[in-house]
Amino acid sequence: MAAASADQHQPPESPPLLILHRFPSFKLSFFPFLRTKYTVLDPHADPPDPSFPALSKSARLMLCVGPTPLTSDDLVNYPAVECVVGSSAGLNHLDLDACRRRRIRVTSAGDAFSDDVADYAVGLAIDVLRRISSADRFVRAGSWPARNEYSLGSKVSGKRVGIVGLGSIGSRIAKRFDAFGCTVTYTSRNKKSHLPYTYYADILDLASNSDVLVVCCALTNETHHLIDKDVMAALGKRGIIVNVGRGALIDEKELVEFLVRGEIGGAGLDVFENEPRVPKELLELDNVVLSPHKAVMTPDSFAALEEMVLGNLEAFFANEPLKAEIEL
Amino acid sequence: MAAASADQHQPPESPPLLILHRFPSFKLSFFPFLRTKYTVLDPHADPPDPSFPALSKSARLMLCVGPTPLTSDDLVNYPAVECVVGSSAGLNHLDLDACRRRRIRVTSAGDAFSDDVADYAVGLAIDVLRRISSADRFVRAGSWPARNEYSLGSKVSGKRVGIVGLGSIGSRIAKRFDAFGCTVTYTSRNKKSHLPYTYYADILDLASNSDVLVVCCALTNETHHLIDKDVMAALGKRGIIVNVGRGALIDEKELVEFLVRGEIGGAGLDVFENEPRVPKELLELDNVVLSPHKAVMTPDSFAALEEMVLGNLEAFFANEPLKAEIEL
């Protein structure tokens, strides 16, 4: 077996070594199952595992759980790691440059959550435009019998939807809005000629031609605060922003100002710059829908992810192709 | 001009007579405009219009505003009415049998609101499945930093969506859910062979093959309490109901029982049996989304409706075809 020779600190019969890289609070339902297949090396084991310091030096495989940051320094501590199996759609928590330099292969959650995020993005947009959460608050507060008038919001059908990042998630969002009779346009690193939507190279052009701006690109150095005050001004007073990507894609301080001053029409936000902190000004606004970073998954797709992650762990030791491997 | 001879109580130069049939509280933005084109006869005019009793006997045209009930007795009071121009999608407030007997033509809002209702129905379904309003409550209550765990709800993509009534609204709902990768089936008075969705003649079969039941048919004697306890039992513990039709399509008392006992999975309700009364048990449930009968329209489509209604009033006196005329 290929793994046996490299796992030199491990008795020959032991299962292959696997580093579990996680925030201490992250616990997954399949951890116990992992121990039936692998010698799991967990820096947060309680009580601590005395063999960890030695064995972790020779482990070739790491499972990085959710958005746990993986830095260049972490990798120095695990010199034998050849592959990081990720379980997250976004990869901004991984130092991909360091992985590239060390020739470490990296996998992501791939498409496992793309439908969920796309579904949620559309749900947030309808909710903000048609004010569904606000309506629910209105009814629960007992205001309906007292006040016959209620804000009807704004029509969804026919809206111009600009998508920021037309990847696995963005293209699913596009397909959904298309069925609502919306006009879909996008910006992306590259024009996707095989797709029927209008491409804008410049996000300002996208914003000034959109009623709804849906942010679903990866967070990188280039996309940090991509949605700045110029983009918000271009979107305009009736425009709304939906963010299902990462909080720092938007200049949150500016977003709060624009919302409070009524200079954009509303926002549906699943992500924030300093989660779980949500700017307190937003809690008072009726034209925003706030969500605790949960677009990313449902139990249904978590089961699909679990299957893919476990498959990638097996595939690595069997020298078989990995699913959702990232080009580095 | 054809109208002139019939409007015998009116001076020859006056504009044609128009009865405004409305709840006193219903006021529309185009009422002032109507007075520039018609002699508007308003039983709720304040101060009362002394010419109303006489003129209303010879008016040939009535504008029925929104869901104002129009009974057989009302029509006896207006013996010359030949046409009722409606401004509502549902027609259960009109005594259509009486109209048929008196050979009165009737128009509805036609498709003016179909997109809005369809958009809203999908929004409610996503909201209930993915718990968006509940998430918004959670964040606004400041619970996110305190409790890291949050219900992720249930996946939208791939759900089996059963549509009750595949008319103008239902077919738009079907198209939207199709784009989410849902499987759409339906029941309807007749099988629509030109549409690609599976038809169930029996609503119990539809419910037992659905995860989401969307109620959007007309309320008639036949459809009153169509969604009864047998249908709910067939839908089952994980199934959800969305109602954007009329409250009385569902046996509301049973629905409340099923929700409280957890015998269905959730509900998104825009309509109720005794509006604006909402059963108080629902106000405490986290798996329902409550909305004050507002799916039906947005300001955008209200403008489109206004254009159609004004067009129908003109078309009647010009002996031109009416839009959205009902077959009686």
Side-chain angles (χ1 to χ4, degrees):
Chain A
M1 190 173 158
S5 60
D7 299 343
Q8 49 192 277
H9 293 276
Q10 191 185 21
E13 311 78 16
S14 296
L17 299 175
L18 174 68
I19 296 170
L20 198 59
H21 188 66
R22 59 162 180 137
F23 284 122
S25 64
F26 277 26
K27 293 178 186 73
L28 293 180
S29 57
F30 60 82
F31 283 1
F33 174 77
L34 287 179
R35 296 185 199 282
T36 68
K37 292 237 174 183
Y38 303 95
T39 302
V40 174
L41 305 174
D42 182 356
H44 302 295
D46 183 20
D49 173 1
S51 67
F52 182 84
L55 290 181
S56 63
K57 299 284 184 232
S58 55
R60 298 167 57 214
L61 186 61
M62 169 185 285
L63 170 58
C64 181
V65 181
T68 312
L70 180 64
T71 65
S72 176
D73 286 349
D74 290 327
L75 292 172
V76 168
N77 287 330
Y78 304 131
V81 164
E82 295 166 31
C83 178
V84 173
V85 169
S87 62
S88 159
L91 293 172
N92 56 299
H93 56 294
L94 304 180
D95 186 335
L96 294 179
D97 284 335
C99 291
R100 187 183 302 113
R101 284 195 307 271
R102 303 181 76 102
R103 296 177 182 272
I104 294 174
R105 299 166 73 186
V106 176
T107 70
S108 76
D111 284 356
F113 298 136
S114 299
D115 279 321
D116 283 335
V117 181
D119 295 344
Y120 208 82
V122 177
L124 284 176
I126 301 176
D127 202 322
V128 173
L129 287 169
R130 297 297 308 274
R131 307 209 163 209
I132 297 181
S133 291
S134 161
D136 183 75
R137 261 198 308 280
F138 178 84
V139 173
R140 285 177 195 261
S143 304
W144 190 10
R147 290 194 286 145
N148 197 26
E149 307 236 336
Y150 183 77
S151 161
L152 297 170
S154 175
K155 196 180 184 78
V156 177
S157 294
K159 281 278 183 296
R160 300 168 305 162
V161 177
I163 298 179
V164 182
L166 201 72
S168 160
I169 293 167
S171 56
R172 284 168 167 84
I173 294 173
K175 182 185 167 201
R176 285 156 174 73
F177 275 114
D178 198 34
F180 284 79
C182 294
T183 308
V184 174
T185 62
Y186 70 103
T187 190
S188 204
R189 269 167 301 183
N190 305 299
K191 184 173 175 176
K192 321 257 172 175
S193 303
H194 60 292
L195 291 174
Y197 315 115
T198 299
Y199 172 67
Y200 291 103
D202 187 332
I203 189 154
L204 285 176
D205 292 335
L206 181 77
S208 41
N209 287 287
S210 295
D211 303 305
V212 178
L213 201 62
V214 183
V215 185
C216 55
C217 59
L219 176 62
T220 63
N221 288 337
E222 290 73 41
T223 61
H224 184 266
H225 282 198
L226 177 66
I227 312 299
D228 59 13
K229 65 182 192 321
D230 295 335
V231 173
M232 295 177 214
L235 183 62
K237 283 194 176 186
R238 300 178 57 115
I240 72 156
I241 293 179
V242 169
N243 190 3
V244 290
R246 287 287 181 270
L249 291 165
I250 301 183
D251 184 335
E252 189 170 278
K253 211 177 143 201
E254 287 290 350
L255 176 66
V256 169
E257 297 264 327
F258 269 71
L259 284 165
V260 166
R261 293 196 305 252
E263 291 176 8
I264 63 171
L269 305 172
D270 184 50
V271 286
F272 302 86
E273 279 207 70
N274 301 299
E275 294 169 8
R277 200 188 68 78
V278 175
K280 63 179 189 310
E281 297 90 336
L282 298 182
L283 305 180
E284 304 302 320
L285 296 179
D286 207 45
N287 56 341
V288 299
V289 179
L290 307 169
S291 166
H293 199 149
K294 65 189 274 292
V296 72
M297 63 165 138
T298 55
D300 319 55
S301 42
F302 191 78
L305 172 73
E306 187 177 307
E307 193 179 316
M308 188 169 82
V309 164
L310 295 176
N312 272 341
L313 298 179
E314 280 196 34
F316 172 77
F317 287 117
N319 285 319
E320 284 172 4
L322 302 177
K323 283 189 184 151
E325 184 169 356
I326 302 303
E327 272 188 54
L328 289 178
Chain B
M1 190 170 157
S5 61
D7 299 345
Q8 50 193 275
H9 293 276
Q10 193 186 17
E13 312 79 15
S14 296
L17 298 175
L18 174 68
I19 296 170
L20 198 59
H21 187 65
R22 58 163 179 136
F23 284 122
S25 62
F26 277 25
K27 293 177 185 75
L28 293 181
S29 57
F30 60 81
F31 283 0
F33 174 79
L34 288 178
R35 297 186 199 282
T36 68
K37 293 236 176 183
Y38 303 95
T39 302
V40 174
L41 305 173
D42 182 357
H44 303 295
D46 183 20
D49 173 3
S51 67
F52 182 84
L55 290 181
S56 61
K57 299 283 184 234
S58 55
R60 298 167 57 216
L61 185 61
M62 170 185 285
L63 170 58
C64 180
V65 182
T68 312
L70 179 65
T71 66
S72 176
D73 287 348
D74 291 325
L75 292 172
V76 168
N77 288 330
Y78 305 130
V81 163
E82 296 168 30
C83 178
V84 174
V85 168
S87 61
S88 159
L91 292 172
N92 56 300
H93 57 293
L94 305 180
D95 186 336
L96 294 179
D97 284 336
C99 291
R100 186 183 303 113
R101 283 194 307 271
R102 302 181 78 101
R103 297 178 182 269
I104 294 174
R105 299 167 72 187
V106 176
T107 70
S108 76
D111 284 356
F113 299 136
S114 299
D115 280 320
D116 283 336
V117 182
D119 295 344
Y120 208 82
V122 177
L124 283 175
I126 302 177
D127 203 324
V128 173
L129 287 169
R130 298 297 308 274
R131 307 210 163 208
I132 297 181
S133 291
S134 162
D136 183 76
R137 260 198 309 280
F138 177 84
V139 173
R140 285 177 195 260
S143 303
W144 191 9
R147 289 194 288 145
N148 197 26
E149 308 235 335
Y150 183 76
S151 161
L152 296 170
S154 176
K155 196 179 184 81
V156 177
S157 295
K159 281 280 183 295
R160 300 168 305 161
V161 177
I163 299 179
V164 181
L166 202 71
S168 160
I169 292 168
S171 56
R172 284 166 167 83
I173 293 173
K175 183 185 167 202
R176 284 155 174 74
F177 275 115
D178 199 33
F180 284 80
C182 293
T183 307
V184 173
T185 62
Y186 70 103
T187 190
S188 205
R189 268 167 302 184
N190 305 300
K191 184 174 176 177
K192 320 256 172 175
S193 303
H194 61 293
L195 290 174
Y197 316 115
T198 300
Y199 172 67
Y200 291 103
D202 186 330
I203 190 155
L204 285 176
D205 293 334
L206 181 77
S208 42
N209 287 287
S210 295
D211 303 305
V212 178
L213 202 62
V214 184
V215 185
C216 55
C217 59
L219 176 63
T220 63
N221 288 337
E222 290 73 39
T223 61
H224 184 266
H225 283 198
L226 177 66
I227 312 298
D228 59 12
K229 66 182 192 320
D230 296 335
V231 173
M232 296 178 214
L235 183 62
K237 283 196 177 185
R238 300 179 57 115
I240 72 156
I241 294 180
V242 169
N243 190 3
V244 290
R246 287 287 181 271
L249 291 165
I250 301 183
D251 184 335
E252 189 171 280
K253 210 176 143 201
E254 286 290 351
L255 176 66
V256 169
E257 297 263 328
F258 269 72
L259 284 165
V260 167
R261 294 195 306 250
E263 290 176 8
I264 63 170
L269 305 172
D270 185 50
V271 286
F272 302 86
E273 280 206 70
N274 301 299
E275 297 170 7
R277 201 188 67 79
V278 175
K280 64 178 190 311
E281 297 89 335
L282 299 182
L283 305 179
E284 304 302 319
L285 296 179
D286 207 46
N287 57 340
V288 299
V289 179
L290 307 169
S291 166
H293 200 148
K294 64 188 276 291
V296 71
M297 63 164 138
T298 55
D300 320 54
S301 42
F302 190 78
L305 172 73
E306 186 177 309
E307 192 180 316
M308 188 168 84
V309 164
L310 295 175
N312 272 342
L313 299 179
E314 280 196 34
F316 172 77
F317 287 117
N319 285 319
E320 284 171 4
L322 301 176
K323 283 189 184 150
E325 184 169 355
I326 302 303
E327 272 187 54
L328 288 177

